[in-house]
Amino acid sequence: MTTRPLNATAASLLGFLHDGPMTGWDLVVAAEKRIGGFWSLTQSQVYRELTAMAAAGLVEAGERGRRDRKPYAITDAGRSAFAQWAAREPGHEVIRFPLLLSVMFGKHVPAERLADFVAVHRDRHADRLADYEGRRASPWDGAPEDEPYARATLEFGLAYERAVLAWFDALPRSIADPTPA
Amino acid sequence: MTTRPLNATAASLLGFLHDGPMTGWDLVVAAEKRIGGFWSLTQSQVYRELTAMAAAGLVEAGERGRRDRKPYAITDAGRSAFAQWAAREPGHEVIRFPLLLSVMFGKHVPAERLADFVAVHRDRHADRLADYEGRRASPWDGAPEDEPYARATLEFGLAYERAVLAWFDALPRSIADPTPA
DNA sequence: TGGTACATGTAACATGTTACATGATTAG
DNA sequence: CTAATCATGTAACATGTTACATGTACCA
């Protein structure tokens, strides 16, 4: 079968499945909460990857449970595919930040509009920062061996959101507040 | 024709073309330099978008020049499509940082390997930071009205890379340096 | 005269997005 | 009893990636 190497999205699903069977829904929720800050995926992808991985023998569907829940369990082939993925050097990060395109091409964007965009996004980031700070303050509830790793990723989120917020706050008035009351 | 709204990649090409005709190659280089820190695109996409935009009447190809250069100029329709794009609220940013997946699933990654990955990526980020710092120190060479906007995006890059670097440096030894000499 | 940077482009495929369709269960 | 949330899934399409093919001009 010599399946081609896993993509990072599929790999992350297998990563979660190492801790026990989960349904597509569980995975969507877990991914959003645990890796959502630095890896985006959609519900649609999750189901697609699960179907594909089931076909490739990397996961196995179990009996449907209540509410039609369909749990998937990782197989030995899945563990081995994951291990291969984990041994390869991760690629560089990809960032797509459309607001910064608006800023970059700011001379073509109505000043008020741009300032609104900036304000809206600043708020969102403030919310995310607050969320991360809340999480850091709450007691750890996962498996003990995960603690340092999950903490490190959380610290990344915190560092990122703080930096972004500081950046917003250091924007010149010509961009952030061009029409003072 | 009521073309569907521009995607951000196409919009950014039009953004550049506001300052005069450019070839696909020029755009690839400009994009890498000017928005590469927060918007990724490939050479292949650039040519595809240009072809599509030419078909949609948003840009017009000029005469081929030396070395087969094929300059594209923005049209009025292109300017108008860009303006519409610029008026819509930009979406949230997307980050995909595979190294953080390796960290998150760290308990399944051989410790030495993980530390290597971390070291490699730390270096890359240090290089990028140095690059940004160099740029900030060099005299501004673009159009004067672009200065504040380009500066703001550069400041974002600086803030981001500094935060990332600080994050690397604050990683626990269990992750960054598990087998001390 | 040979390597590097310039320059355009296509093909095939993988991945990501959006929208829809369907139904079960729970909480108020 | 009804709205919200849970839950699965598909279809269609847009976007992104990788690999290749082709050739020009510069410069050491």
Side-chain angles (χ1 to χ4, degrees):
Chain A
M1 202 169 247
T2 41
T3 339
R4 111 193 72 249
L6 286 179
N7 65 56
T9 295
S12 71
L13 300 181
L14 290 179
F16 289 124
L17 292 178
H18 274 78
D19 296 326
M22 298 172 82
T23 66
W25 183 262
D26 293 339
L27 287 165
V28 169
V29 172
E32 170 56 28
K33 178 164 183 210
R34 297 170 60 190
I35 61 177
F38 52 86
W39 196 264
S40 83
L41 37 61
T42 63
Q43 173 255 39
S44 194
Q45 270 177 284
V46 169
Y47 287 105
R48 184 163 65 190
E49 294 293 349
L50 283 174
T51 304
M53 289 197 292
L58 308 182
V59 297
E60 255 173 9
E63 306 265 302
R64 288 194 185 246
R66 310 203 317 137
R67 271 194 190 211
D68 232 31
R69 289 169 62 85
K70 185 173 172 186
Y72 286 89
I74 190 169
T75 63
D76 286 340
R79 259 179 284 268
S80 141
F82 180 88
Q84 276 176 254
W85 171 81
R88 298 195 323 144
E89 217 218 281
H92 62 80
E93 86 263 38
V94 170
I95 301 185
R96 278 159 206 260
F97 203 153
L99 175 68
L100 293 181
L101 290 178
S102 302
V103 171
M104 183 63 169
F105 298 114
K107 74 174 164 185
H108 306 300
V109 181
E112 263 188 72
R113 221 99 214 336
L114 184 57
D116 284 349
F117 296 162
V118 163
V120 166
H121 284 258
R122 203 214 99 102
D123 277 2
R124 280 195 210 155
H125 284 277
D127 289 348
R128 299 235 294 194
L129 177 56
D131 174 41
Y132 290 158
E133 277 171 344
R135 288 200 219 177
R136 186 205 243 162
S138 345
W140 172 250
D141 67 342
E145 327 104 76
D146 281 324
E147 216 264 36
Y149 302 111
R151 164 166 291 275
T153 59
L154 178 59
E155 291 299 328
F156 177 86
L158 283 158
Y160 174 74
E161 295 299 341
R162 283 202 190 111
V164 171
L165 220 52
W167 173 80
F168 274 110
D169 291 336
L171 279 174
R173 304 199 60 175
S174 67
I175 293 176
D177 192 19
T179 52
Chain B
M1 201 169 248
T2 42
T3 340
R4 111 192 71 252
L6 286 180
N7 65 55
T9 295
S12 71
L13 300 181
L14 290 179
F16 289 125
L17 292 177
H18 274 79
D19 296 326
M22 299 171 81
T23 66
W25 182 262
D26 293 339
L27 287 164
V28 169
V29 172
E32 170 57 28
K33 178 165 183 210
R34 297 170 59 189
I35 61 177
F38 52 87
W39 197 265
S40 83
L41 38 61
T42 62
Q43 172 257 38
S44 195
Q45 270 176 285
V46 169
Y47 286 106
R48 185 163 64 188
E49 294 293 349
L50 283 174
T51 304
M53 289 197 294
L58 309 181
V59 297
E60 256 174 7
E63 305 266 301
R64 289 197 185 245
R66 309 204 317 138
R67 274 193 188 209
D68 232 31
R69 289 169 62 85
K70 185 173 173 187
Y72 285 88
I74 190 169
T75 63
D76 285 340
R79 258 179 285 267
S80 140
F82 180 89
Q84 276 176 253
W85 171 81
R88 298 196 321 144
E89 217 219 280
H92 62 81
E93 86 262 39
V94 170
I95 301 185
R96 279 158 206 259
F97 203 153
L99 175 68
L100 293 182
L101 291 178
S102 302
V103 171
M104 183 62 170
F105 297 115
K107 72 174 166 184
H108 306 300
V109 181
E112 262 187 74
R113 220 100 216 328
L114 185 57
D116 283 351
F117 296 162
V118 163
V120 166
H121 284 258
R122 203 213 99 102
D123 276 3
R124 278 195 211 155
H125 284 277
D127 289 349
R128 299 235 292 194
L129 177 56
D131 174 40
Y132 290 158
E133 277 170 343
R135 288 200 219 178
R136 186 205 243 160
S138 343
W140 172 251
D141 67 342
E145 325 105 78
D146 282 323
E147 215 264 38
Y149 302 112
R151 162 166 294 273
T153 59
L154 178 59
E155 290 299 329
F156 177 85
L158 283 158
Y160 174 74
E161 295 300 341
R162 283 202 190 111
V164 171
L165 220 53
W167 173 80
F168 274 110
D169 292 336
L171 279 175
R173 303 200 60 174
S174 67
I175 293 176
D177 191 19
T179 52

